[in-house]
Amino acid sequence: MWSAIGLVCLAALSSASAQAPLPCLSPAMWEAHFSRFDPSEGHQFAVDGFYHYDKIGQRKAFFERDRSDINSTYRFQEIIHLYNLKKSYHIDVQTRACTVGELTHPFHAHDVPTFARFRGLFYLGSSAVPNDVLEMAKWDYQDNERNYFWEGSFTSEGCIPYHSNEYNHTTFGMRFESFWDVTPGIANPDVFLPPPECFPN
């Protein structure tokens, strides 16, 4: 009898393990509204705007509204990161002044890390409204050698990123990021082209 119960329990555990999702890859190209919050030591810095993401070409473009609690003022800028060229372009929307810089950090893909742990499912929406519930999968990843911790939530279907939190107290501190109105593809590829102001000569 105990052996039969053991087999039933083992089968249940195997079934539960088989149902756990595996780390997934987000779409290669997409656009979305985003917000980012950086509660670094001594100040708080918040950003929101529109984001264009191209993993194939290793390109990112942002239209940002930045706000710092130091002086409670807003700044609007366009940012283009071309990782294949290791170049960044920051364009002030009001003055059209362009600052060209070197990218020293690698391209960051919005995927679930290979060694991330599945932490469970949760749902966005309300069961009171038909077809108004979205199933989300929560993950986390820890690298003790780098003193780094990441956690993120993605849709169970399609691996669409929803939000992520990062912690590294030896480098950037904490960072919180969210996405919504995610649309696959890039509507206008010209968003990755630096404007003429970045090439005065």
Side-chain angles (χ1 to χ4, degrees):
M1 176 179 177
W2 289 110
S3 129
I5 293 175
L7 287 174
V8 170
C9 292
L10 181 60
L13 288 172
S14 300
S15 175
S17 176
Q19 292 173 2
L22 297 174
C24 58
L25 303 178
S26 71
M29 293 188 289
W30 47 271
E31 302 173 316
H33 288 94
F34 81 100
S35 65
R36 185 169 62 248
F37 180 59
D38 180 8
S40 301
E41 183 177 355
H43 75 281
Q44 294 181 347
F45 189 71
V47 175
D48 61 66
F50 202 74
Y51 178 49
H52 312 266
Y53 171 79
D54 174 14
K55 183 167 62 175
I56 298 174
Q58 295 205 337
R59 305 178 295 179
K60 297 181 179 183
F62 312 78
F63 182 87
E64 292 189 348
R65 180 181 68 167
D66 307 344
R67 180 183 183 276
S68 171
D69 69 353
I70 296 176
N71 50 22
S72 297
T73 60
Y74 288 100
R75 179 182 61 170
F76 296 86
Q77 61 178 338
E78 300 172 25
I79 300 174
I80 301 172
H81 287 173
L82 305 179
Y83 288 85
N84 55 340
L85 301 177
K86 294 183 170 58
K87 290 288 186 180
S88 69
Y89 303 87
H90 292 241
I91 303 97
D92 187 294
V93 171
Q94 292 179 317
T95 66
R96 300 308 299 171
C98 177
T99 303
V100 182
E102 298 288 330
L103 286 174
T104 58
H105 58 279
F107 179 84
H108 170 71
H110 293 284
D111 300 326
V112 178
T114 304
F115 299 106
R117 300 175 297 176
F118 174 64
R119 307 304 290 177
L121 299 174
F122 67 96
Y123 300 88
L124 295 177
S126 171
S127 59
V129 180
N131 303 318
D132 195 40
V133 175
L134 187 62
E135 184 180 83
M136 311 293 296
K138 187 173 183 178
W139 304 82
D140 67 23
Y141 169 75
Q142 186 164 348
D143 186 335
N144 292 324
E145 291 185 2
R146 292 194 299 146
N147 195 23
Y148 175 78
F149 178 79
W150 170 92
E151 62 179 358
S153 299
F154 295 71
T155 59
S156 295
E157 182 178 350
C159 198
I160 306 297
Y162 171 55
H163 84 83
S164 65
N165 303 328
E166 293 180 280
Y167 309 88
N168 190 323
H169 296 292
T170 60
T171 55
F172 57 79
M174 295 182 289
R175 185 181 299 141
F176 309 104
E177 192 170 46
S178 298
F179 302 100
W180 65 96
D181 294 339
V182 179
T183 304
I186 302 296
N188 180 15
D190 288 349
V191 296
F192 299 112
L193 298 178
E197 292 87 346
C198 298
F199 306 96
N201 298 324

